[in-house]
Amino acid sequence: MKKKSSRLLALLLAGLMLLPALTACSETPSAAETEQTAQVTADSALAEEIVPEETEITRENTPDTLPADLDYNGETFMIYYSNGFNWTELIEGGEELTGEVVADAVIESNLSVAERLNIDLQYYAENSGNYGTIASLVSNLIMANDDSFDIYLGEQYGLAQTVTKGYYRNVFDLPYFDFDQPWWNTTFMENLQITTDNRVFLTGDFNLTTLCQLFVQYFNKRIYGDLFGNPDDLYSLVLEGKWTIDAMSEMIASAYVDLNGDGQTGPDDQLGYVAYQTYSTVDPFMYCGDVPYTTHGEDGRIVINMNQERAVTLTEKVVNLFNQTGTYKVDTSPFVVGKSLFCNGLMRGASDFRDMTDDFGFLPSPKLDEAQESYQNLVGDCVLFTVIPVTCTNAEMAAAVLEALNAQTYRTVTPAWYEVTLKLKYSRDMISSDIIDLIHDSIYTSFLFAYSPVLSQMGQVMRDLVTKNNTDYMSLVKSKEKPAQKMLEKMYKDLAESAAP
């Protein structure tokens, strides 16, 4: 429908008001009346011609629900972020515009939010912050009642260990957050909640480390082509929902060639799969099979439920994959030099392969079986979460700033990183862009994984099983079950005590 100008509406009303008079006075209009009628018709035609169609809602202009008149009178807003892994480009951008697409987009996004809300947006990069130190760094600030910072960004591994200490505000108590908007990873945040009515960890587009820390599977297109034919067939397998652990294991076995004839799988052979040790590279396989290790009880609390037949089946297949002939569990360098079909890594790690002679592609972590509804791609535990500390002096302003930052990042920064940097700079074909979209849409975490450090490492039992080539999942779970349950109960006790007045 076309919009009509207020001028046109006024003219049309005037014309309608004249009609009774024209009828009463004469059936033949005067010259002046004829001219006036003609002018109304002309104005109507002109308005129809120049008024544009209603604006189409796109990613770049998706509206948010923040009040239009929010104004914080130039107040300073300080963001503290853990920077041991050098996240400055994705959070601050840089000191000035340089032509680097992502950094410039971040700068412009921050300036846009600062101008919109009339704040002095500042950042503090804690270069000693990492997954092992962020818990103590944040604890020291809060225990000292340091109100210098309005929000913190810190690694999941560390912040998860502080969740019950009462350090952070429950965002459900604050205005301005609209978690139905596309810039929030809502399901991801729900899986981090200890109770259904308390949310302290936030992650959305402003947390671009979520994409960077996403586990993916890489494959060498030349080796695949030599063995199986058109590499696009592998993409088709994924898109058809048939990319399973069994399919991957069969390809690993077919790819392996003992080039030096020593009977041992090693870096001098043509390998099927390479992985860094059996640590974090195993984690995405524990969660790729859609096994609900935890549920929420009627009281809203987490219930651990790991004794499941599906988990046993998943374990058997994963242990076999990592210990079969053709898998090399030391480092990933053979993939870089074109000597392995598959390699496991983080999405951010694509930059390590930019100088490869062979073309490579992206894949999601495989399903347990074809009946599984969708792929699940785990985010590594060095992802940065956002929290609003209890020391924040204006939590409502913090909520408004975070909503605005996530919205503006969604509109401009994510497309710059995702569409330009990842799809065009790293990806070497157009069809893998569809695969990257699929991976992005299946971002996942589990309560058990996020809080594994405080649950007797229950969320990483697959590491031990793969390392020892042991498929006795039930025995290992049983040995950890009671300690994990006691630690979970302590989490709820500590949470209640920290919430007490």
Side-chain angles (χ1 to χ4, degrees):
M1 179 182 293
K2 295 184 177 180
K3 297 180 180 178
K4 300 184 184 298
S5 68
S6 58
R7 177 168 178 262
L8 173 58
L9 180 59
L11 288 169
L12 289 174
L13 291 172
L16 290 171
M17 293 173 66
L18 285 170
L19 286 177
L22 290 172
T23 303
C25 295
S26 171
E27 294 183 0
T28 305
S30 66
E33 291 167 342
T34 301
E35 181 180 352
Q36 186 175 25
T37 302
Q39 184 62 48
V40 170
T41 303
D43 284 346
S44 176
L46 179 61
E48 291 290 339
E49 180 180 344
I50 65 174
V51 174
E53 296 287 342
E54 292 185 3
T55 303
E56 179 185 358
I57 298 299
T58 65
R59 185 184 188 110
E60 289 70 23
N61 65 14
T62 301
D64 53 57
T65 54
L66 288 171
D69 59 351
L70 278 180
D71 187 332
Y72 292 104
N73 302 310
E75 188 170 342
T76 297
F77 189 89
M78 182 71 76
I79 296 177
Y80 173 106
Y81 67 95
S82 181
N83 199 40
F85 295 123
N86 190 22
W87 297 117
T88 297
E89 179 187 50
L90 300 184
I91 298 174
E92 293 188 66
E95 295 182 359
E96 59 183 14
L97 298 176
T98 63
E100 181 62 34
V101 174
V102 176
D104 286 359
V106 171
I107 292 173
E108 291 169 350
S109 175
N110 289 340
L111 289 173
S112 174
V113 170
E115 180 179 356
R116 174 185 180 182
L117 300 179
N118 190 14
I119 60 173
D120 178 15
L121 184 59
Q122 298 184 16
Y123 289 91
Y124 175 80
E126 178 51 75
N127 293 326
S128 66
N130 58 50
Y131 66 93
T133 62
I134 191 61
S136 60
L137 289 168
V138 166
S139 296
N140 290 340
L141 287 170
I142 293 177
M143 294 301 291
N145 201 29
D146 188 333
D147 61 0
S148 303
F149 307 104
D150 295 286
I151 66 171
Y152 300 146
L153 274 73
E155 283 83 0
Q156 168 185 300
Y157 180 89
L159 290 191
Q161 299 178 55
T162 67
V163 70
T164 61
K165 296 183 180 296
Y167 289 166
Y168 316 121
R169 294 186 183 271
N170 181 357
V171 298
F172 289 148
D173 296 335
L174 299 174
Y176 304 131
F177 286 119
D178 186 351
F179 294 121
D180 291 329
Q181 295 284 8
W183 41 82
W184 291 109
N185 296 328
T186 304
T187 301
F188 194 99
M189 292 186 293
E190 289 173 350
N191 288 348
L192 297 170
Q193 292 176 218
I194 297 181
T195 61
T196 53
D197 61 354
N198 187 297
R199 177 177 296 171
V200 297
F201 294 140
L202 296 174
T203 179
D205 274 59
F206 180 57
N207 302 75
L208 274 176
T209 59
T210 303
L211 292 177
C212 294
Q213 290 294 120
L214 188 63
F215 283 105
V216 293
Q217 308 297 321
Y218 297 98
F219 77 102
N220 183 301
K221 298 180 71 176
R222 176 189 58 80
I223 296 177
Y224 185 92
D226 291 344
L227 293 171
F228 307 111
N230 188 345
D232 287 353
D233 292 343
L234 184 50
Y235 291 136
S236 297
L237 191 74
V238 171
L239 296 173
E240 292 168 4
K242 298 179 180 180
W243 173 237
T244 64
I245 296 175
D246 285 344
M248 186 175 180
S249 293
E250 290 172 6
M251 293 180 192
I252 290 171
S254 297
Y256 177 67
V257 179
D258 185 7
L259 294 177
N260 60 10
D262 66 357
Q264 300 291 324
T265 301
D268 295 327
D269 299 328
Q270 176 174 288
L271 302 165
Y273 182 54
V274 293
Y276 176 69
Q277 301 293 342
T278 49
Y279 303 145
S280 59
T281 51
V282 177
D283 292 337
F285 285 89
M286 181 171 173
Y287 298 94
C288 71
D290 193 24
V291 178
Y293 296 109
T294 62
T295 59
H296 275 104
E298 293 183 0
D299 58 358
R301 294 187 174 191
I302 291 292
V303 177
I304 298 176
N305 179 26
M306 298 190 68
N307 296 316
Q308 301 181 52
E309 190 61 35
R310 186 173 178 84
V312 174
T313 302
L314 176 65
T315 298
E316 292 172 350
K317 292 181 183 294
V318 172
V319 171
N320 173 70
L321 184 148
F322 274 88
N323 288 281
Q324 71 182 86
T325 301
T327 295
Y328 181 64
K329 299 174 294 186
V330 178
D331 60 54
T332 58
S333 58
F335 185 81
V336 179
V337 297
K339 299 189 69 174
S340 178
L341 174 59
F342 294 117
C343 174
N344 187 350
L346 299 172
M347 186 79 84
R348 190 188 196 191
S351 59
D352 297 336
F353 307 143
R354 289 173 64 182
D355 296 328
M356 280 180 61
T357 300
D358 292 340
D359 285 339
F360 65 89
F362 300 81
L363 301 168
S365 294
K367 295 180 180 180
L368 174 55
D369 52 48
E370 292 184 27
Q372 185 174 318
E373 184 175 349
S374 61
Y375 297 97
Q376 290 186 168
N377 289 281
L378 187 71
V379 177
D381 57 12
C382 286
V383 61
L384 298 187
F385 288 162
T386 304
V387 293
I388 301 176
V390 292
T391 51
C392 174
T393 57
N394 191 340
E396 290 192 4
M397 179 175 71
V401 172
L402 284 174
E403 185 70 23
L405 282 171
N406 277 278
Q408 193 59 27
T409 303
Y410 169 84
R411 296 181 188 117
T412 60
V413 180
T414 300
W417 182 84
Y418 180 52
E419 300 291 343
V420 178
T421 302
L422 181 59
K423 282 190 176 181
L424 300 184
K425 190 181 290 185
Y426 298 160
S427 178
R428 301 190 179 190
D429 53 70
M430 292 305 295
I431 201 168
S432 65
S433 294
D434 295 333
I435 300 296
I436 295 170
D437 287 337
L438 181 150
I439 294 169
H440 171 271
D441 293 343
S442 56
I443 287 175
Y444 179 80
T445 197
S446 163
F447 180 93
L448 199 69
F449 176 70
Y451 295 98
S452 188
V454 292
L455 291 175
S456 191
Q457 301 300 328
M458 182 71 96
Q460 294 166 321
V461 295
M462 197 77 78
R463 294 185 181 189
D464 294 337
L465 294 167
V466 167
T467 300
K468 298 175 182 177
N469 194 11
N470 175 17
T471 59
D472 193 355
Y473 169 86
M474 287 297 193
S475 292
L476 182 57
V477 166
K478 185 176 180 180
S479 69
K480 290 178 172 288
E481 200 167 29
K482 287 185 179 179
Q485 187 61 43
K486 287 183 179 180
M487 295 173 82
L488 180 61
E489 291 171 2
K490 185 178 186 303
M491 287 177 68
Y492 283 113
K493 180 180 178 182
D494 292 344
L495 185 64
E497 291 177 352
S498 66

